[in-house]
Amino acid sequence: DPAHGDVAPYPNAAVGDVIKFTVNTSEGKQWRGNLTVVSAIGPFVFELPKSVFGEKPAPGATAKLHYSVTSPGGQPFLSPELVVFVKY
């Protein structure tokens, strides 16, 4: 089962917005995903492969999650970074 990352509905969400989701782990792995908004009703869900977190994360392993939203012709909005502990 993949993990998931949710981007909550946001003000002025519009069809055509591009959401880029990034995961960086404390063990040096990275994953990026892109989603083009087809319905302005969220949440917008990204499936994160378990492989980005490793088979058996080290004790205290963390992941930093963030996303950006870019509207056609607009400047990107960057989310604050969220740090989570990785456990199975």
Side-chain angles (χ1 to χ4, degrees):
D1 293 333
H4 67 280
D6 295 354
V7 175
Y10 54 91
N12 302 316
V15 171
D17 288 356
V18 175
I19 304 172
K20 295 181 181 180
F21 197 95
T22 303
V23 178
N24 292 298
T25 71
S26 58
E27 296 180 335
K29 294 189 177 186
Q30 184 179 72
W31 178 87
R32 291 183 178 157
N34 294 335
L35 179 149
T36 300
V37 174
V38 294
S39 170
I41 301 171
F44 307 98
V45 180
F46 289 83
E47 290 189 358
L48 312 175
K50 280 190 172 182
S51 61
V52 74
F53 303 109
E55 285 295 316
K56 185 172 180 179
T62 60
K64 295 178 182 179
L65 315 173
H66 68 275
Y67 65 89
S68 66
V69 176
T70 305
S71 297
Q75 295 293 319
F77 163 81
L78 303 175
S79 75
E81 191 170 73
L82 173 66
V83 179
V84 297
F85 287 99
V86 179
K87 298 182 200 178
Y88 290 151

